[in-house]
Amino acid sequence: MYKFDKRVVVTLDAGGTNLVFSAMQANDFIVEPITLPSNAHDLDLCLATMVDGFTRIFNQLEQKPVAISFAFPGPADYPNGIIGGYLPNFPSFRNGVALGPFLEEKFGVPVFINNDGDLYAYGEALGGFLPELNNRLADMGIEKRYTNLLGYTFGTGFGIGMVIDGRLNRGNNSCVETFCLRHKNHHEVFVEEGVAIRAIQRVYGELSGDINHNFTPKDICDIAEGKIEGNKEAAIKAFEEFGTIAGDAIASAVTLTDSLVVIGGGLTGARKFFMPALLEQMRGMLHSIKGEELPRLPEKVFDLDDEEEFVQFAHGASRPIKVYGTDKTVIYDPMKRTGVAISRIGASKAISIGAYSFALSMLDSKE
């Protein structure tokens, strides 16, 4: 949507260890990023670091930026730019910090802050997966277009963003979340305990009998591949359980939003081990009290990274039907469908595009 826009937006990748500052124009970075320590334990030092980082970026730009826009990890009153609540990576912000208003006072431009999951989904919807898919359909001569997208991030946690009819859904309280759904296998446990880096490590330890191992998820993936020594069966099953728990949660969200799904984050490199189980959950069956069987989702679920399945998804089941009482026909496609894909641009780039696009969309809406 803003691929050719000439306006500049300053961005920030805010992590508990480092703050990475940059600037975007036309969906691409235009300056070398500046990395500074977060100093997240000390509010005064953290805010001073932010001012320093943003100032350095402003000084490199040939034109004045129209906004600052970035993601912040954790709960917040995002529409008002206030960060607060349980913030493991930014403990000094827990009592509430008016970060957006503070930065607006310092730099004299609008400041937009959002959840990283929200910006991930928005970036994929406006400059990543969704336009790429719709362009492919257009090239195939297919008229149907998709506007609803759920974006999930698989990594330290289980993040989500929701775009409905091309617009980011931030909810009434800027609190669209997925981590707190029920865990499929342990109903009193929240789902993120099964869909996160720590879940892969924990399940591998339990299944292998080596609960004190120091393997990373990348190591466990390499064990599953047979590239390094370890319990291969436990490694494969750890990713399968991960996919099962994620697929169950994703199916619930798709049921309510009738959306496509794109997944990003560090754990997507293990796609071959978790995706079959994830798709199996989404393609599963439910039963009535009388034992009647029906699909878990009303939509047929496709693996959009599989070329053969993509073609089936694209064409659906279109056929002509007669208009009653006339010789005319219309095209009818009875196949409701959805699909899942792994991000091609990556979570970090998608979040940056989302931050850029969100700022410009908000500015445009005020004109």
Side-chain angles (χ1 to χ4, degrees), residues 279-317:
L279 291 170
E280 182 180 3
Q281 285 298 306
M282 296 183 70
R283 293 166 174 166
M285 305 300 291
L286 296 175
H287 299 85
S288 70
I289 294 294
K290 295 180 179 179
E292 299 165 316
E293 193 173 66
L294 70 157
R296 170 74 186 271
L297 289 172
E299 304 94 342
K300 186 172 181 179
V301 181
F302 291 90
D303 179 353
L304 299 178
D305 293 324
D306 181 288
E307 187 59 30
E308 184 176 328
E309 289 200 29
F310 182 87
V311 172
Q312 295 176 28
F313 165 85
H315 289 287

Side-chain angles (χ1 to χ4, degrees), residues 36 47 65 77 111 145 151 156 182 195 295 306-307 329 354 366:
L36 300 174
L47 294 179
D77 175 3
V111 175
R145 299 291 181 268
T156 304
R182 290 184 183 272
V195 190
D306 181 288
E307 187 59 30
T329 62
K366 294 176 181 178

Side-chain angles (χ1 to χ4, degrees), residues 254-282:
V254 172
T255 300
L256 296 174
T257 61
D258 189 16
S259 302
L260 298 177
V261 176
V262 63
I263 302 169
L267 293 174
T268 55
R271 179 198 190 283
K272 66 182 288 185
F273 296 113
F274 69 71
M275 188 61 80
L278 188 154
L279 291 170
E280 182 180 3
Q281 285 298 306
M282 296 183 70

